[in-house]
Amino acid sequence: MISLTFDDALAQHLDDAAPLLERHGLCGTFYTHLAAPAFGRRLDEWRDVAGRGHELGNHTIFHPADQRKAWVREGNALDRYALDRMRLELETANQLLAGLDGRAQRTFAYPCSNPILGHRGAVKSLLVRLGMEFTRLPGLADRLHVDLGSTQCSYEPLLRDIFPAARGGGMTRESIIPPVQHWNRFNLPSVAIDGWPRQELIEYVERGLTQPTWVILQFHGIGGGHHLDCDKNVFRDFVAWLGEYHADRVHTVVNAARTLWKDTCQPDLPQPTNA
């Protein structure tokens, strides 16, 4: 299977991505964080997108992220989040999205593909200052439980009560996508598309289709709107290729999850259908 996902509720998703998908008989999953400017200003259009068969996925309300990122404010610094605060945000976002599309079930995507909330302790903070954040030492500090003062933990366990599945990241252009029987349903692997040429997109998908697996592509900007970007002409040609050769394999994330995990992902009403 193949799923096309779009993060952050950008204007380009409404103006370019969704109409192009529909022109070729395809549906996508749009992971919307509700504080995004192009979400609140264009609610009727997002309602229409859902009505045409696309999935409106949960991407939180405030898109919390590491406080070191330039655009993160105190109010959405993931370092300051606790589990209960995250649960409240996810459940509230679900309620608001249900008011738009009438669906009780949708999937989730971790902002920045990061499932860890809370702040570092003394040891890991020191490793960051020493430029050793991406060595093996932070992981060793976690395993030995010596990061004094840390509140960091995964919020993946929260998702099991709220969503049928959740999309993470972790794949690169060179990755061999693992078979789905080895997947964690609450951290689905995906690859972020940034500056790829058309042929590399096609080759990545075709490589995935030779395996018993699920190719999940993660788009942000389409011809602008985000620092992670796919050229608009590349996207247009890639979608046309998908529509011609693999339209029957393209599913929203929620529908693909229902196919794979029938016992735990229940059908929703109304059931979204391909445009």
Side-chain angles (χ1 to χ4, degrees):
M1 297 185 294
I2 306 163
S3 290
L4 308 180
T5 69
F6 304 84
D7 288 19
D8 299 345
L10 303 178
Q12 289 83 358
H13 299 164
L14 290 172
D15 298 334
D16 301 313
L20 188 58
L21 292 176
E22 292 158 20
R23 192 176 309 155
H24 294 281
L26 308 176
C27 282
T29 294
F30 293 86
Y31 286 114
T32 57
H33 72 280
L34 305 191
F39 184 76
R41 295 172 187 165
R42 304 178 69 174
L43 288 177
D44 288 341
E45 292 172 81
W46 288 108
R47 182 183 291 109
D48 290 344
V49 161
R52 297 197 299 270
H54 303 282
E55 177 189 2
L56 296 187
N58 189 322
H59 204 39
T60 73
I61 297 176
F62 300 112
H63 200 293
D66 190 301
Q67 64 183 357
R68 294 173 297 172
K69 295 180 182 290
W71 49 269
V72 174
R73 298 163 55 177
E74 182 177 349
N76 71 329
L78 197 57
D79 315 61
R80 297 176 177 269
Y81 271 60
L83 289 173
D84 191 58
R85 176 178 174 180
M86 181 61 79
R87 177 184 287 276
L88 180 62
E89 185 165 329
L90 298 178
E91 291 176 342
T92 301
N94 262 4
Q95 291 170 7
L96 294 172
L97 288 169
L100 277 183
D101 62 17
R103 295 176 186 155
Q105 194 176 67
R106 68 195 73 252
T107 59
F108 174 73
Y110 297 96
C112 301
S113 300
N114 181 10
I116 305 298
L117 56 73
H119 62 76
R120 298 173 187 82
V123 173
K124 290 172 72 174
S125 295
L126 176 62
L127 292 174
V128 169
R129 289 197 295 272
L130 294 175
M132 303 175 74
E133 179 180 5
F134 300 108
T135 68
R136 296 180 179 181
L137 293 177
L140 180 62
D142 286 336
R143 289 193 297 275
L144 296 178
H145 305 288
V146 296
D147 191 24
L148 301 177
S150 172
T151 64
Q152 286 191 325
C153 64
S154 172
Y155 64 94
E156 178 192 308
L158 294 180
L159 309 185
R160 298 172 183 271
D161 297 331
I162 305 173
F163 302 103
R167 195 211 69 199
M171 297 289 102
T172 68
R173 297 187 199 204
E174 295 77 26
S175 294
I176 302 299
I177 308 170
V180 290
Q181 61 262 35
H182 301 308
W183 284 25
N184 172 1
R185 181 156 62 93
F186 296 98
N187 202 342
L188 305 174
S190 71
V191 64
I193 308 303
D194 182 26
W196 293 26
R198 170 184 177 273
Q199 192 56 36
E200 286 197 20
L201 271 168
I202 290 174
E203 288 173 358
Y204 185 88
V205 170
E206 288 185 328
R207 189 164 73 243
L209 293 179
T210 65
Q211 307 295 322
T213 195
W214 176 10
V215 179
I216 304 179
L217 304 179
Q218 182 187 138
F219 294 94
H220 291 75
I222 305 294
H226 199 280
H227 72 277
L228 296 174
D229 188 63
C230 181
D231 180 84
K232 188 183 294 188
N233 292 330
V234 168
F235 184 75
R236 180 198 62 207
D237 293 346
F238 172 66
V239 169
W241 173 82
L242 272 181
E244 181 173 359
Y245 295 105
H246 298 297
D248 60 324
R249 297 174 181 260
V250 178
H251 304 274
T252 61
V253 177
V254 71
N255 281 348
R258 288 171 180 147
T259 298
L260 289 170
W261 297 289
K262 294 182 176 69
D263 293 342
T264 48
C265 298
Q266 299 303 314
D268 194 16
L269 295 175
Q271 181 88 2
T273 57
N274 276 352

